[in-house]
Amino acid sequence: MIRKLTSREMSSISSALRCVLDKVEAATEKRKKTGDELSSLPTRLVAVSKTKPPSSIVEAYRNGQRHFGENYVNEIAKKAIDPEILSECKDIHWHFIGHLQKNKTGSLVSCPNLYMVETVDSNKIAETLNKQWETRKKAGKLKVMIQINTSMEENKSGCKEEDMVNLVKNILENCPNLEFIGLMTIGSFDHDLSKGPNPDFLKLLKCRERLCEELKLDKKNVEISMGMSADFEHAIELGSTNVRVGSTIFGAREPKAPNKSDGNPTPSGEVKDSSGSGNKMTDSKTDILQENATGVIELNKGLSHMSMAT
């Protein structure tokens, strides 16, 4: 049985959301003062609700939030058809912000109110999404962003900078059911802002410059998705138009035993607490682990008994 939120928890989500929105607005206003041609673009807040119950999403929705992000296909598929969410959140916009496997695109595209996939990182994924969207006769086009691994860390997903232009070009020319709207990155988690702007954020802005120059695109039509709970204000001031904030709104994520709706467990059984997205460390093997979690637990029990026996 899914636990309902207490009045205190509902009040906490409401006040935290208001606080984040105020900060988003303040950072956006500060950016406008730079006078840059792109500084007046609005900023979208995506509330990252991974591992949180439907009641938390409904409470944020009741307080005006419309865009919600999920990292795992199994979880977004379950929440998207939750009776409470379908009844109370008719205008919800789901963003998929996790690493996407080709064999999971069908399940993802089937989700009601899927608004955007922010983590397309290969032609294979783009073309499969395009085909699945057409096969299911979905209305309009599916908005997509290209994820770029600006930090070049092995545990993060995203295409290489040198592959970006060809990937976007392929979407524009060969994927009529997709609407390319921008670039996304996670960036390094441990950057010290006292040492200056996040270099991964600056790199993503340069990627947009290069992309628009080579493909003759209007920069105003290429969004920038960067910034999470710890650095979204900094990201907005640099030019982000889409920020992904989770624990600051919904509270810290409690570690849970692995099951079919959980994230990828770390060796200690905990789920990495990050509003980030497209992180191979937590996302790339998630769905496989979710399907086989019970078997893994039983195997560990067996090994434990063997160890005691010897």
Side-chain angles (χ1 to χ4, degrees), residues 93-136:
H93 291 52
W94 290 110
H95 292 233
F96 185 72
I97 60 173
H99 179 66
L100 181 59
Q101 297 170 296
K102 180 181 178 181
N103 66 329
K104 289 291 182 177
T105 55
S107 297
L108 177 62
V109 167
S110 296
C111 293
N113 300 310
L114 178 64
Y115 181 77
M116 185 188 303
V117 176
E118 296 193 24
T119 50
V120 175
D121 60 4
S122 69
N123 285 319
K124 177 179 66 176
I125 292 298
E127 291 164 4
T128 305
L129 282 172
N130 180 69
K131 182 177 180 180
Q132 293 286 0
W133 194 261
E134 180 179 23
T135 299
R136 284 163 174 74

Coordinates of all heavy atoms in Angstrom, one line a residue, residues 93-136:
H93 N 3.6 17.2 -17.5 CA 4.5 17.0 -18.5 C 5.7 16.2 -18.0 O 6.5 16.6 -17.2 CB 5.1 18.4 -19.0 CG 4.0 19.2 -19.7 ND1 2.8 19.5 -19.2 CD2 4.1 19.9 -20.9 CE1 2.1 20.3 -20.0 NE2 2.9 20.5 -21.1
W94 N 5.8 15.0 -18.5 CA 6.9 14.1 -18.1 C 8.2 14.3 -18.9 O 8.1 14.3 -20.1 CB 6.5 12.6 -18.2 CG 5.4 12.2 -17.2 CD1 4.1 11.8 -17.5 CD2 5.6 12.0 -15.8 NE1 3.5 11.4 -16.4 CE2 4.3 11.5 -15.3 CE3 6.6 12.1 -14.9 CZ2 4.1 11.2 -14.0 CZ3 6.5 11.9 -13.6 CH2 5.2 11.4 -13.1
H95 N 9.3 14.4 -18.2 CA 10.6 14.4 -18.9 C 11.3 13.2 -18.5 O 11.4 12.8 -17.3 CB 11.4 15.6 -18.4 CG 10.9 17.0 -18.8 ND1 11.7 17.9 -19.4 CD2 9.7 17.5 -18.6 CE1 10.9 19.0 -19.6 NE2 9.7 18.8 -19.2
F96 N 11.9 12.5 -19.5 CA 12.8 11.4 -19.2 C 14.2 11.9 -19.1 O 14.7 12.4 -20.1 CB 12.6 10.2 -20.1 CG 13.4 9.0 -19.7 CD1 13.1 8.2 -18.7 CD2 14.6 8.7 -20.4 CE1 13.8 7.1 -18.2 CE2 15.4 7.6 -20.0 CZ 15.0 6.8 -18.9
I97 N 14.9 11.7 -18.0 CA 16.2 12.3 -17.9 C 17.3 11.3 -17.5 O 18.4 11.6 -17.0 CB 16.2 13.4 -16.8 CG1 15.8 12.9 -15.4 CG2 15.3 14.6 -17.2 CD1 15.9 13.9 -14.3
G98 N 17.0 10.0 -17.7 CA 17.9 8.9 -17.4 C 18.5 8.3 -18.7 O 18.1 8.6 -19.8
H99 N 19.5 7.5 -18.5 CA 20.1 6.8 -19.6 C 19.1 5.8 -20.2 O 18.5 5.1 -19.5 CB 21.4 6.0 -19.1 CG 22.0 5.2 -20.3 ND1 22.6 5.9 -21.3 CD2 22.2 3.9 -20.5 CE1 23.1 5.0 -22.1 NE2 22.8 3.8 -21.7
L100 N 18.9 5.9 -21.5 CA 17.9 5.1 -22.2 C 18.5 4.0 -23.0 O 19.4 4.2 -23.8 CB 17.1 6.0 -23.1 CG 15.9 5.4 -23.9 CD1 14.9 4.7 -22.9 CD2 15.2 6.4 -24.7
Q101 N 18.0 2.8 -22.8 CA 18.4 1.6 -23.6 C 17.4 1.4 -24.7 O 16.2 1.7 -24.6 CB 18.4 0.4 -22.7 CG 19.4 0.5 -21.5 CD 19.2 -0.7 -20.5 OE1 18.2 -0.8 -19.9 NE2 20.2 -1.5 -20.5
K102 N 17.9 0.9 -25.8 CA 17.1 0.7 -27.0 C 15.9 -0.1 -26.7 O 14.7 0.2 -27.2 CB 17.9 0.1 -28.1 CG 17.1 -0.1 -29.4 CD 18.0 -0.7 -30.5 CE 17.2 -1.0 -31.8 NZ 18.1 -1.6 -32.8
N103 N 16.0 -1.2 -26.0 CA 14.9 -2.1 -25.7 C 13.9 -1.6 -24.8 O 12.9 -2.2 -24.5 CB 15.5 -3.5 -25.2 CG 16.1 -3.3 -23.8 OD1 16.6 -2.3 -23.4 ND2 16.0 -4.4 -23.0
K104 N 14.1 -0.4 -24.2 CA 13.1 0.2 -23.3 C 12.4 1.4 -24.0 O 11.5 2.0 -23.3 CB 13.8 0.7 -22.1 CG 14.3 -0.4 -21.1 CD 13.1 -1.1 -20.5 CE 13.6 -2.2 -19.6 NZ 12.5 -2.9 -18.9
T105 N 12.7 1.7 -25.2 CA 12.1 2.9 -25.8 C 10.6 2.7 -26.0 O 9.8 3.7 -25.9 CB 12.8 3.2 -27.2 OG1 12.7 2.0 -28.0 CG2 14.2 3.6 -27.0
G106 N 10.2 1.5 -26.3 CA 8.7 1.3 -26.5 C 8.0 1.6 -25.3 O 6.9 2.2 -25.3
S107 N 8.5 1.0 -24.1 CA 7.8 1.3 -22.9 C 7.7 2.7 -22.5 O 6.7 3.2 -22.0 CB 8.5 0.5 -21.7 OG 8.5 -0.9 -22.0
L108 N 8.8 3.4 -22.8 CA 8.9 4.9 -22.5 C 7.9 5.7 -23.4 O 7.1 6.5 -22.9 CB 10.3 5.4 -22.7 CG 10.5 6.9 -22.5 CD1 10.2 7.3 -21.1 CD2 11.9 7.3 -22.9
V109 N 7.9 5.4 -24.7 CA 7.0 6.1 -25.6 C 5.5 5.9 -25.3 O 4.7 6.7 -25.5 CB 7.4 5.8 -27.0 CG1 6.3 6.3 -28.0 CG2 8.7 6.4 -27.4
S110 N 5.2 4.7 -24.7 CA 3.8 4.4 -24.4 C 3.3 5.2 -23.2 O 2.1 5.2 -23.0 CB 3.7 2.9 -24.1 OG 4.1 2.1 -25.2
C111 N 4.2 5.9 -22.5 CA 3.7 6.6 -21.3 C 2.8 7.8 -21.6 O 3.2 8.6 -22.5 CB 4.9 7.2 -20.5 SG 6.0 5.9 -19.8
P112 N 1.7 7.9 -21.0 CA 0.8 9.1 -21.2 C 1.5 10.3 -20.8 O 2.2 10.3 -19.8 CB -0.4 8.8 -20.3 CG -0.4 7.3 -20.1 CD 1.1 6.9 -20.0
N113 N 1.3 11.4 -21.5 CA 1.8 12.7 -21.2 C 3.4 12.8 -21.2 O 3.9 13.7 -20.6 CB 1.3 13.2 -19.8 CG -0.2 13.3 -19.8 OD1 -0.8 13.9 -20.7 ND2 -0.8 12.7 -18.8
L114 N 4.0 11.9 -22.0 CA 5.5 12.0 -22.2 C 5.7 13.3 -23.0 O 5.2 13.4 -24.1 CB 6.0 10.8 -22.9 CG 7.5 10.9 -23.1 CD1 8.3 10.9 -21.8 CD2 8.0 9.7 -24.0
Y115 N 6.5 14.2 -22.4 CA 6.7 15.5 -23.0 C 8.1 15.6 -23.7 O 8.2 16.2 -24.8 CB 6.6 16.6 -22.0 CG 6.8 18.0 -22.5 CD1 5.8 18.7 -23.2 CD2 7.9 18.7 -22.2 CE1 5.9 20.0 -23.6 CE2 8.1 20.0 -22.6 CZ 7.1 20.6 -23.3 OH 7.3 21.9 -23.8
M116 N 9.1 15.1 -23.1 CA 10.4 15.2 -23.6 C 11.4 14.1 -23.1 O 11.2 13.6 -22.0 CB 11.0 16.6 -23.1 CG 12.3 17.0 -23.7 SD 13.0 18.5 -22.9 CE 11.7 19.7 -23.2
V117 N 12.3 13.8 -24.0 CA 13.4 12.9 -23.6 C 14.7 13.7 -23.7 O 15.0 14.2 -24.8 CB 13.5 11.7 -24.6 CG1 14.7 10.8 -24.2 CG2 12.3 10.8 -24.5
E118 N 15.3 14.0 -22.6 CA 16.5 14.9 -22.5 C 17.8 14.2 -22.7 O 18.8 14.9 -22.8 CB 16.5 15.6 -21.2 CG 15.3 16.5 -20.9 CD 15.5 17.5 -19.8 OE1 16.7 17.7 -19.4 OE2 14.5 17.9 -19.2
T119 N 17.8 12.9 -22.9 CA 19.1 12.1 -22.9 C 19.3 11.3 -24.2 O 19.9 10.2 -24.1 CB 19.1 11.2 -21.7 OG1 17.8 10.5 -21.6 CG2 19.2 12.0 -20.4
V120 N 19.0 11.8 -25.3 CA 19.3 11.1 -26.6 C 20.8 11.3 -26.8 O 21.3 12.4 -26.8 CB 18.5 11.7 -27.7 CG1 19.0 11.0 -29.0 CG2 17.0 11.5 -27.5
D121 N 21.5 10.2 -27.0 CA 23.0 10.3 -27.1 C 23.5 9.5 -28.3 O 24.7 9.3 -28.4 CB 23.7 9.8 -25.8 CG 23.3 8.4 -25.4 OD1 22.6 7.7 -26.1 OD2 23.8 8.0 -24.3
S122 N 22.6 8.9 -29.1 CA 23.1 8.2 -30.3 C 22.1 8.2 -31.4 O 20.9 8.4 -31.1 CB 23.5 6.7 -29.8 OG 22.3 6.0 -29.5
N123 N 22.5 7.9 -32.6 CA 21.6 7.8 -33.7 C 20.7 6.6 -33.5 O 19.5 6.7 -33.9 CB 22.4 7.6 -35.0 CG 23.0 8.9 -35.5 OD1 22.4 9.9 -35.4 ND2 24.2 8.8 -36.0
K124 N 21.2 5.6 -32.9 CA 20.4 4.4 -32.6 C 19.1 4.7 -31.7 O 18.0 4.3 -32.0 CB 21.2 3.3 -32.0 CG 20.4 2.0 -31.6 CD 21.4 1.0 -30.9 CE 21.9 1.5 -29.6 NZ 22.7 0.4 -28.9
I125 N 19.4 5.4 -30.7 CA 18.3 5.8 -29.8 C 17.3 6.8 -30.5 O 16.1 6.6 -30.4 CB 18.9 6.4 -28.5 CG1 19.6 5.4 -27.7 CG2 17.7 7.1 -27.7 CD1 18.7 4.2 -27.2
A126 N 17.9 7.7 -31.2 CA 17.0 8.7 -31.9 C 16.1 8.0 -32.9 O 14.9 8.3 -32.9 CB 17.9 9.8 -32.6
E127 N 16.7 7.2 -33.7 CA 15.9 6.5 -34.7 C 14.9 5.5 -34.2 O 13.8 5.4 -34.7 CB 16.9 5.8 -35.7 CG 17.7 6.7 -36.5 CD 18.9 6.1 -37.2 OE1 19.1 4.8 -37.0 OE2 19.7 6.8 -37.8
T128 N 15.2 4.9 -33.0 CA 14.3 4.0 -32.4 C 13.1 4.8 -31.8 O 11.9 4.4 -31.9 CB 15.0 3.1 -31.3 OG1 16.1 2.5 -31.9 CG2 14.0 2.1 -30.7
L129 N 13.4 5.9 -31.1 CA 12.3 6.7 -30.6 C 11.4 7.2 -31.7 O 10.2 7.2 -31.6 CB 12.9 7.9 -29.9 CG 13.5 7.7 -28.4 CD1 14.2 8.9 -28.0 CD2 12.4 7.3 -27.5
N130 N 12.0 7.6 -32.8 CA 11.2 8.1 -33.9 C 10.3 7.0 -34.5 O 9.1 7.3 -34.7 CB 12.2 8.5 -35.1 CG 11.5 9.1 -36.3 OD1 10.9 10.1 -36.3 ND2 11.5 8.3 -37.4
K131 N 10.8 5.8 -34.6 CA 10.0 4.7 -35.1 C 8.9 4.3 -34.1 O 7.7 4.1 -34.5 CB 10.9 3.5 -35.4 CG 10.1 2.3 -35.9 CD 11.1 1.2 -36.3 CE 10.3 0.0 -36.8 NZ 11.3 -1.1 -37.2
Q132 N 9.2 4.3 -32.8 CA 8.2 3.9 -31.8 C 7.1 5.0 -31.7 O 6.0 4.6 -31.5 CB 8.9 3.8 -30.4 CG 9.9 2.6 -30.3 CD 9.2 1.3 -30.2 OE1 8.0 1.2 -30.2 NE2 10.0 0.2 -30.1
W133 N 7.5 6.2 -31.8 CA 6.5 7.3 -31.7 C 5.5 7.2 -32.9 O 4.3 7.3 -32.7 CB 7.2 8.7 -31.8 CG 6.3 9.8 -31.4 CD1 5.7 10.7 -32.3 CD2 6.0 10.3 -30.1 NE1 5.0 11.6 -31.5 CE2 5.2 11.4 -30.2 CE3 6.4 9.8 -28.8 CZ2 4.7 12.1 -29.1 CZ3 5.9 10.5 -27.7 CH2 5.1 11.6 -27.8
E134 N 6.0 6.8 -34.1 CA 5.1 6.6 -35.3 C 4.3 5.4 -35.1 O 3.1 5.4 -35.4 CB 6.0 6.6 -36.5 CG 5.2 6.4 -37.8 CD 6.1 6.3 -39.0 OE1 7.3 6.0 -38.9 OE2 5.5 6.6 -40.1
T135 N 4.9 4.3 -34.7 CA 4.2 3.0 -34.5 C 3.0 3.2 -33.6 O 1.9 2.6 -33.8 CB 5.1 2.0 -34.0 OG1 6.2 1.8 -34.9 CG2 4.4 0.6 -33.8
R136 N 3.2 3.9 -32.5 CA 2.1 4.1 -31.5 C 1.1 5.2 -31.9 O 0.3 5.6 -31.1 CB 2.7 4.3 -30.1 CG 3.2 3.0 -29.6 CD 4.2 3.2 -28.4 NE 4.6 1.9 -27.9 CZ 5.4 1.0 -28.4 NH1 5.9 1.3 -29.6 NH2 5.7 -0.1 -27.8

